[in-house]
Amino acid sequence: MNVEDICIIKRDGKRENFSAHKISNAIGKAFTATGLNDQEALIDEITRRVINHFQEPTIGVEAIQDLVETELMKVQPEVAKKYIIYRQWRNTERDRKTQIKHIMDGIVAIDKNDVNLSNANMSSHTPAGQMMTFASEVTKDYTYKYLLPKPYAEAHQLGDIHIHDLDYYPTKTTTCIQYDLDDLFERGFHTKNGSIRTPQSIQSYATLATIIFQTNQNEQHGGQAIPAFDFFMAKGVLKTYQKAVASTLSFYLEMKGCALNEKEALELVRQQLHTILPDAQVIAALQEALQSRHCDISETELTHILDKAYQQTRKDTHQAMEGFIHNLNTMHSRGGNQVVFSSINYGTDTSAEGRMVIEELLNATIEGLGTRGEVPVFPIQIFKIKDGVSYSEADYRRAMEDFEAAMDGKVAFEAPNFDLFLKACRTTAKALFPNFMFLDTPFNKHEAWRADDPKRYRYELATMGCRTRVFENLNGEKTSLGRGNLSFTTMNLPRLAIEARRKAEQLLNEGQTTDVESTARSLFLESVHRMASFIAEQLYARYQYQRTALARQFPFMMGNDVWKGGGKLNPNDEVGDVLNQGTLGIGFIGGHNAMVALYGQGHGHNQKAWQTLYDAVLEMNKVADEYKAKYHLNYSILATPAEGLSGRFTKIDQKKYGIIPGVNDRDYYVNSFHVDVKEPITIVEKTKCEAPFHALTRGGHITYVELDGEAKKNIKAIAKIVKVMHDEGIGYGSINHPVDTCHNCGYKGVIYDKCPICRSENILRMRRITGYLTGDLSSWNSAKRAEEHDRVKHG
């Protein structure tokens, strides 16, 4: 057949004359990609073989490409693989061009689909939400085409990896930050419209904290955190107390004929009172100072004034904490009705002022939002467990002997904040927060921490968002303050396991099961190492791009030295090395699914599976160590908190491999190293199974347990669970339980189909998604709804 007479049918149905050059050009690219050059003779021969297969005067593009694959496999299998990957990527690119219009149509029609529900913290059906979603999808497309190096774009689109927050890639911003609020408050700070001076009351401290959250959220795409909320707010409590004492004192003395105005009284009070709980010696000194100014006041009168001021300070502190919580759940930081992704860490300030902050924050959290006390979604609250400060074994035993008395404050404890730990358990039982951070787990300890250091919080680990952990530091002080995550990318662990198992079966053909598993394990671990290295290079490429951002792109974060070192930059300076104290996260998802692919069982009760998953995460750590040495950057391993990703990988793998029972036959992959959400397992078993992985995932991790029934009726059980986590070496843990509220009558409790009081079906169902909450299950994407439905309760 004369090739000049052959007509090619393109994918869109159009016809064009055949060109042998197009075939040889495509084959040549595959040879070059494999590192084989100067192969023109072989390329021409393969092209002729392909043409010799033509039997009809018309042929489709896909049929030609099938013939090219067949001929390449005969002579150069490695080149064939490159050609297949390139072909698959090109198909994905073409599909995306048609998909983008479908996506836009869905946004316009506010369809209830996974694009519109990709972020449970955003109302995507509002005009601002639609604009955010439009922008996100278009910007991702721009990033694929023009910014990402081709190997990384291919790997992402084909589902080997997931580069998180691609829509923010062009902005060069970082993921998250932990604030040194004490520094910001003492220096003051500036925003676009003016400067803020040091606050002088607890209300101002709390309000400015929300303003800092709101302002900086517009310069980053991830979570924001306050690492020592109790320490930072304590000064505001003391200032409020001092003002209350001075105000009441000057008024009282004026009535007695003493000419001491409020300003003079405040100056005197600040000199004498450095705590809201002064002892008799301090009160006597204040009385003497007043008498030296010819202000006659008895000890009884002065004590009464101080008591009144204390009561007013507690009331003001409660209102400040109440306002703080309400603001963070109503104050939008971006378009799309998004509130700030905010977290606060607390629990170790033993001063009277810090303790008051913690206590009133917990009380305000229990009271909730609005007239019906809805559970607040933000801030994510983390209570720090520190031996000798907020916890002790002796105190735990005392509390368990008479738990009701302990909760009522009738038991004396040796750890100064153990009573606040119990109140934190009570709050968790009602409002799902706080979660618990364990500072004495070996990998969370800091060698510089001292109990008598007034700024010991600098050496206490804090976390943010679902689980982001920033602590160790190659390029500066080991601390959580003034640092954050730069970016993170997740590997598709189940895919690596599927490929390893299939290759092992091909190599051994009809070999023994144990031999196949052993070979598959080796292949799997090798592929994990390779993929982690691939991701490490991709993260470095993104870091190099982020470094080129100008300081003026982040006027609040850099201009106010929020990200430490940024304050030294001029507006037109590149941020450069200022970013090198951030972290680069190598993430993974689907550990359970991967183990089922290798062994037919997950790691929850199969020791071989558990050891293989543990060794896989060890391999990732080896890579992190290699790249720390190579680039002197803070690489770490992240137990990825997957929201949209949990379904994305699954859909791609179902299309690639078909349905594999137990591996990809659901709508989601199980998060990171977590035991399968459907697997029956006790609290102790789950905790013991997952705890060793926390030491290996220092970019962030969490272990949760799922309770049935109304936890608020069994606070003692919460305390027992926290002790198990403490004893087993958990780094960060949380306790999930259903929190339902009837919109019609306000009834709270576990509600199944209808409200037991008014029979309404209009129910607000609060559930934890990936470490943070959402207002309603209906705002979750399909994968996370399916996962929540499958979760078993841990007994």
Side-chain angles (χ1 to χ4, degrees):
M1 181 180 297
N2 190 338
V3 295
E4 294 178 358
D5 298 329
I6 296 173
C7 181
I8 303 300
I9 302 174
K10 300 181 74 174
R11 290 176 180 83
D12 60 3
K14 293 180 181 178
R15 295 172 178 248
E16 67 175 32
N17 294 331
F18 172 73
S19 171
H21 174 71
K22 288 187 176 181
I23 296 177
S24 59
N25 187 48
I27 296 171
K29 287 181 178 179
F31 271 89
T32 302
T34 317
L36 299 174
N37 299 310
D38 302 323
Q39 300 290 321
E40 285 75 11
L42 182 55
I43 291 169
D44 290 343
E45 174 62 25
I46 296 170
T47 303
R48 282 194 294 273
R49 290 183 186 179
V50 170
I51 295 172
N52 288 338
H53 285 286
F54 294 179
Q55 301 292 327
E56 302 292 336
T58 60
I59 186 169
V61 171
E62 293 287 345
I64 294 175
Q65 291 182 339
D66 289 342
L67 292 172
V68 172
E69 287 183 14
T70 300
E71 293 302 324
L72 279 173
M73 286 298 292
K74 292 177 182 178
V75 293
Q76 288 286 353
E78 290 302 314
V79 176
K81 288 180 182 178
K82 290 290 183 182
Y83 180 84
I84 291 166
I85 290 171
Y86 175 74
R87 180 185 177 187
Q88 189 176 0
W89 180 74
R90 289 289 298 160
N91 286 338
T92 302
E93 279 286 281
R94 276 187 289 271
D95 289 343
R96 182 164 181 80
K97 287 179 180 178
T98 58
Q99 286 172 1
I100 197 75
K101 180 165 188 308
H102 294 308
I103 289 170
M104 296 300 172
D105 289 343
I107 298 169
V108 171
I110 59 171
D111 291 342
K112 198 168 185 179
N113 57 36
D114 286 348
V115 171
N116 288 335
L117 297 176
S118 62
N119 181 351
N121 187 37
M122 187 173 81
S123 301
S124 58
H125 58 274
T126 64
Q130 286 178 299
M131 286 299 294
M132 283 285 288
T133 312
F134 279 132
S136 176
E137 294 303 317
V138 171
T139 309
K140 285 178 190 175
D141 196 53
Y142 174 80
T143 303
Y144 290 137
K145 291 177 179 175
Y146 305 111
L147 298 181
L148 271 181
K150 186 179 175 183
Y152 307 136
E154 287 181 3
H156 178 96
Q157 290 188 324
L158 296 178
D160 292 329
I161 65 173
H162 183 85
I163 303 171
H164 293 266
D165 301 295
L166 270 174
D167 46 353
Y168 276 87
Y169 197 107
T171 71
K172 305 179 184 179
T173 189
T174 58
T175 303
C176 54
I177 189 73
Q178 299 231 34
Y179 300 113
D180 185 349
L181 272 193
D182 186 59
D183 181 48
L184 277 171
F185 284 159
E186 290 304 307
R187 287 189 293 109
F189 58 90
H190 61 268
T191 64
K192 181 179 179 181
N193 297 316
S195 298
I196 307 297
R197 58 180 174 267
T198 302
Q200 297 299 317
S201 68
I202 185 58
Q203 290 95 334
S204 296
Y205 270 74
T207 300
L208 289 183
T210 63
I211 290 172
I212 291 168
F213 267 134
Q214 182 188 36
T215 307
N216 199 72
Q217 183 72 78
N218 289 309
E219 297 182 14
Q220 294 186 287
H221 56 73
Q224 323 294 309
I226 298 175
F229 186 75
D230 42 355
F231 283 93
F232 296 150
M233 293 292 116
K235 287 184 179 179
V237 173
L238 179 59
K239 289 178 180 180
T240 296
Y241 174 72
Q242 289 170 336
K243 287 170 70 174
V245 171
S247 177
T248 308
L249 190 60
S250 64
F251 176 76
Y252 183 73
L253 291 174
E254 183 182 348
M255 299 212 26
K256 295 187 72 174
C258 176
L260 185 71
N261 63 40
E262 190 168 332
K263 184 178 180 180
E264 293 172 325
L266 181 58
E267 183 180 349
L268 182 63
V269 166
R270 284 174 175 169
Q271 291 172 359
Q272 300 294 328
L273 296 181
H274 303 123
T275 174
I276 61 174
L277 289 177
D279 58 23
Q281 187 176 352
V282 171
I283 294 172
L286 176 59
Q287 183 186 13
E288 184 178 340
L290 288 167
Q291 289 172 345
S292 70
R293 293 179 179 235
H294 310 291
C295 295
D296 186 34
I297 187 169
S298 69
E299 181 183 345
T300 302
E301 291 170 326
L302 183 56
T303 300
H304 184 69
I305 288 172
L306 295 178
D307 287 344
K308 280 291 185 182
Y310 180 88
Q311 293 168 21
Q312 183 61 47
T313 300
R314 182 172 290 281
K315 181 180 177 181
D316 290 346
T317 301
H318 182 82
Q319 289 178 337
M321 296 303 102
E322 186 178 60
F324 179 74
I325 291 171
H326 277 72
N327 282 336
L328 287 179
N329 285 278
T330 57
M331 187 170 64
H332 296 164
S333 62
R334 302 189 190 126
N337 290 16
Q338 283 196 88
V339 294
V340 181
F341 287 93
S342 53
S343 304
I344 56 174
N345 299 257
Y346 57 83
T348 55
D349 187 349
T350 57
S351 71
E353 297 78 27
R355 283 175 50 79
M356 182 178 283
V357 168
I358 298 170
E359 192 163 12
E360 295 311 318
L361 174 70
L362 293 172
N363 289 337
T365 302
I366 286 177
E367 289 171 8
L369 305 173
T371 57
R372 289 179 174 169
E374 294 98 335
V375 172
V377 175
F378 290 110
I380 297 163
Q381 299 183 34
I382 302 105
F383 188 90
K384 299 177 182 178
I385 302 292
K386 176 68 180 172
D387 290 350
V389 177
S390 57
Y391 183 84
S392 82
E393 289 295 324
D395 286 340
Y396 177 82
R397 288 192 295 271
R398 290 189 191 97
M400 289 300 118
E401 287 171 3
D402 190 343
F403 197 77
E404 287 189 15
M407 290 300 302
D408 289 340
K410 298 176 181 177
V411 177
F413 298 115
E414 61 182 35
N417 283 4
F418 187 85
D419 61 325
L420 296 178
F421 161 66
L422 294 179
K423 291 177 180 178
C425 291
R426 179 183 65 189
T427 308
T428 296
K430 173 76 182 298
L432 283 164
F433 286 129
N435 298 337
F436 297 92
M437 170 69 68
F438 299 91
L439 298 184
D440 288 299
T441 300
F443 52 86
N444 283 349
K445 281 187 175 181
H446 197 304
E447 55 279 0
W449 190 92
R450 298 289 182 272
D452 59 353
D453 182 355
K455 291 196 173 185
R456 58 189 177 276
Y457 58 81
R458 297 191 65 85
Y459 310 115
E460 293 177 357
L461 175 67
T463 190
M464 70 189 95
C466 307
R467 64 194 70 180
T468 307
R469 182 182 182 276
V470 177
F471 200 38
E472 296 81 10
N473 191 2
L474 292 174
N475 297 305
E477 184 181 21
K478 178 182 177 181
T479 183
S480 295
L481 275 67
R483 304 172 58 212
N485 176 253
L486 297 172
S487 65
F488 62 101
T489 296
T490 296
M491 72 176 70
N492 185 345
L493 214 56
R495 175 175 290 191
L496 299 180
I498 293 168
E499 295 282 2
R501 179 73 191 208
R502 290 189 172 187
K503 190 171 183 179
E505 289 172 347
Q506 290 172 357
L507 289 172
L508 300 180
N509 202 355
E510 297 181 1
Q512 296 290 324
T513 299
T514 53
D515 294 335
V516 171
E517 288 180 351
S518 177
T519 302
R521 169 189 154 85
S522 297
L523 292 170
F524 172 68
L525 294 178
E526 289 170 8
S527 66
V528 167
H529 193 104
R530 283 196 304 273
M531 188 58 69
S533 299
F534 180 79
I535 289 173
E537 290 289 2
Q538 180 269 314
L539 291 168
Y540 183 69
R542 187 170 186 174
Y543 166 73
Q544 291 290 80
Y545 181 64
Q546 289 172 303
R547 285 172 54 88
T548 65
L550 302 180
R552 62 185 167 89
Q553 292 180 248
F554 316 109
F556 186 82
M557 183 166 66
M558 296 300 170
N560 288 293
D561 206 37
V562 173
W563 188 287
K564 293 302 183 187
K568 298 176 182 178
L569 299 174
N570 293 316
N572 287 321
D573 289 345
E574 291 188 353
V575 294
D577 285 345
V578 166
L579 294 185
N580 67 15
Q581 294 194 61
T583 61
L584 297 167
I586 301 172
F588 65 98
I589 187 178
H592 161 78
N593 309 81
M595 294 308 98
V596 175
L598 291 177
Y599 298 105
Q601 285 184 300
H603 60 294
H605 290 103
N606 183 308
Q607 184 56 35
K608 282 195 298 185
W610 186 93
Q611 190 63 54
T612 297
L613 182 57
Y614 185 82
D615 290 344
V617 185
L618 274 178
E619 287 298 320
M620 297 178 206
N621 275 271
K622 290 177 186 177
V623 171
D625 289 341
E626 290 170 14
Y627 277 84
K628 284 177 187 176
K630 183 175 181 179
Y631 294 128
H632 211 263
L633 293 171
N634 294 303
Y635 282 91
S636 58
I637 306 305
L638 171 70
T640 298
E643 186 180 348
L645 176 58
S646 66
R648 176 178 179 263
F649 274 167
T650 313
K651 288 176 182 176
I652 296 173
D653 286 351
Q654 287 172 348
K655 187 175 181 180
K656 183 178 178 70
Y657 302 109
I659 301 296
I660 306 173
V663 179
N664 64 1
D665 55 349
R666 302 183 215 163
D667 290 339
Y668 60 91
Y669 281 149
V670 177
N671 264 331
S672 60
F673 54 73
H674 288 175
V675 174
D676 182 16
V677 297
K678 294 183 72 171
E679 187 161 347
I681 191 169
T682 67
I683 290 169
V684 174
E685 288 173 335
K686 187 176 193 295
T687 304
K688 285 185 174 181
C689 179
E690 294 181 3
F693 291 95
H694 285 222
L696 302 182
T697 50
R698 299 195 186 188
H701 47 243
I702 194 170
T703 281
Y704 73 87
V705 296
E706 199 83 25
L707 300 185
D708 201 358
E710 294 189 52
K712 66 182 180 181
K713 296 179 179 177
N714 196 356
I715 301 167
K716 191 175 184 179
I718 300 289
K720 288 181 177 179
I721 293 168
V722 176
K723 175 179 166 51
V724 170
M725 291 180 172
H726 171 277
D727 293 350
E728 294 299 332
I730 290 292
Y732 179 43
S734 68
I735 300 162
N736 297 349
H737 53 87
V739 178
D740 300 329
T741 303
C742 175
H743 277 298
N744 287 13
C745 72
Y747 172 80
K748 289 182 177 64
V750 179
I751 303 175
Y752 296 98
D753 296 323
K754 297 179 181 179
C755 173
I757 305 300
C758 69
R759 308 305 294 167
S760 168
E761 296 180 4
N762 187 16
I763 309 301
L764 174 69
R765 301 187 185 279
M766 298 294 286
R767 300 291 185 273
R768 198 184 307 272
I769 179 168
T770 58
Y772 64 87
L773 297 180
T774 181
D776 196 334
L777 282 171
S778 63
S779 66
W780 293 18
N781 64 56
S782 59
K784 296 308 292 184
R785 285 199 302 271
E787 188 225 88
E788 195 280 336
H789 177 268
D790 287 346
R791 293 177 187 173
V792 299
K793 308 303 179 185
H794 303 127

